[in-house]
Amino acid sequence: MVLDSFLKRSVTGGLGSPKAEIMADTAVALASANVALVARKVIGRLCEYLSSSRDHKAVGRRPFDKMATLLAYLGPPEHKPMDSQWSSMDMTSTKFEEIMAKHNMHEKDEFKSIKTLNIFYQAGTSRAGNPVFYYIARRYKIGETNGDQLIYHVILTLKPVCRKPFELVIDFTHTSTENRFRTEFLQKWFVVLPEVAYENIHAAYIYNADSWVREYTKYHDRALAPLKNHKKLIFLDTPARLNDHIHPDQQKLPGATTSLDEDLKVFNNALKLSHKDTKVAIKVGPSAIQVTSAEKTKVLSHSVLLNDVYYASEIEEVCLVDDNQFTLTIAHESGPLSFIHNDCDSIVQAIIHIRTRWELSQPVSSWSHSGQRHSSLRSDKPIT
């Protein structure tokens, strides 16, 4: 709005008018925050104005001097990576593949490294006899993983079988904001994946959706609208439910996912305190804590039990407030998590145990690096 006002004032009152100069100061402030946007908008509008004037003598040199100053401030045009170039095109699956093939992406080291990350892979068959693909959401890191090359890897992996029915498992275990797709990239998936893949997917199993997934789908409600209440979308919250669709011998989820359900101490009927208190089960395993909702919530219009996973390495503090309440401080969380349970003492002891065991598994240098060892595991009353 400020830019439009500045341009309008410049055209009607002259680039050198006092009001235009005031607006220019504001526009320059905006320019420092978003150079590319300002460059496109300002210079485009000024060029329209100058080219529309037939009386070049009346225009004079001043507008051109001003434009030269502005261009000098903005600097040379920013080099656009391939991602941004392609996103602005009228992209289709065929065009996307042609561009990637033209740049020999499959031969580049970065593309090969994406394959080795095992973000997306095919392994085993379902009970229906269909090939099964896996997407491990936590392995995609925003800012580290090249999005277009990931899509290309997915397309090449699907290509040999996507003309026949197949099934997909999306593992959202321990997924957070660092694993998200930006809005533009999320939309690109719906455009560049082959239409035949959407037609032939027999089912997509969403495993271990957590609180972050719920918030992400709410934020991108419009982009994800086609998936709402879709019959091919199946949310799974336990290994047993996955067994209904894929035999255990054929399942190829990562060990870090499957091991979460081994040797668990389960504390049911807990209450997680927040702006809206939630009934949960607290599960303490050898390497992580799981906070599983006991009441279903809506995700893409499906009723879902959410499961938040916190690794032992992320536990910064556990504090027994009284006999029935404790708090848990997790790295990267905005604040402590508070819980009420009849056996808080046992829960806190179990958490201290897995955190201590993790610390003992680390090199001694890591203790000195953090500046503490057990001091972060405490209680406001003695733990016996």
Side-chain angles (χ1 to χ4, degrees), residues 43-95:
I43 295 175
R45 290 288 294 277
L46 287 175
C47 287
E48 287 177 14
Y49 163 65
L50 293 174
S51 62
S52 66
S53 176
R54 295 180 180 275
D55 190 351
H56 299 289
K57 290 184 179 180
V59 172
R61 289 181 51 83
R62 187 172 178 79
F64 295 96
D65 292 339
K66 289 286 184 178
M67 187 183 292
T69 303
L70 181 60
L71 286 169
Y73 170 78
L74 291 171
E78 183 179 354
H79 173 69
K80 286 188 176 182
M82 289 183 180
D83 285 7
S84 61
Q85 291 179 37
W86 295 340
S87 65
S88 63
M89 295 176 62
D90 180 20
M91 188 59 65
T92 65
S93 176
T94 303
K95 286 182 180 179

Side-chain angles (χ1 to χ4, degrees), residues 340-356:
I340 290 177
H341 192 270
N342 291 332
D343 195 9
C344 285
D345 196 52
S346 297
I347 299 175
V348 169
Q349 290 284 9
I351 294 172
I352 289 175
H353 175 72
I354 67 165
R355 168 66 189 194
T356 302

Side-chain angles (χ1 to χ4, degrees), residues 17-29:
S17 66
K19 289 184 178 181
E21 293 293 338
I22 293 172
M23 295 301 296
D25 290 339
T26 308
V28 167

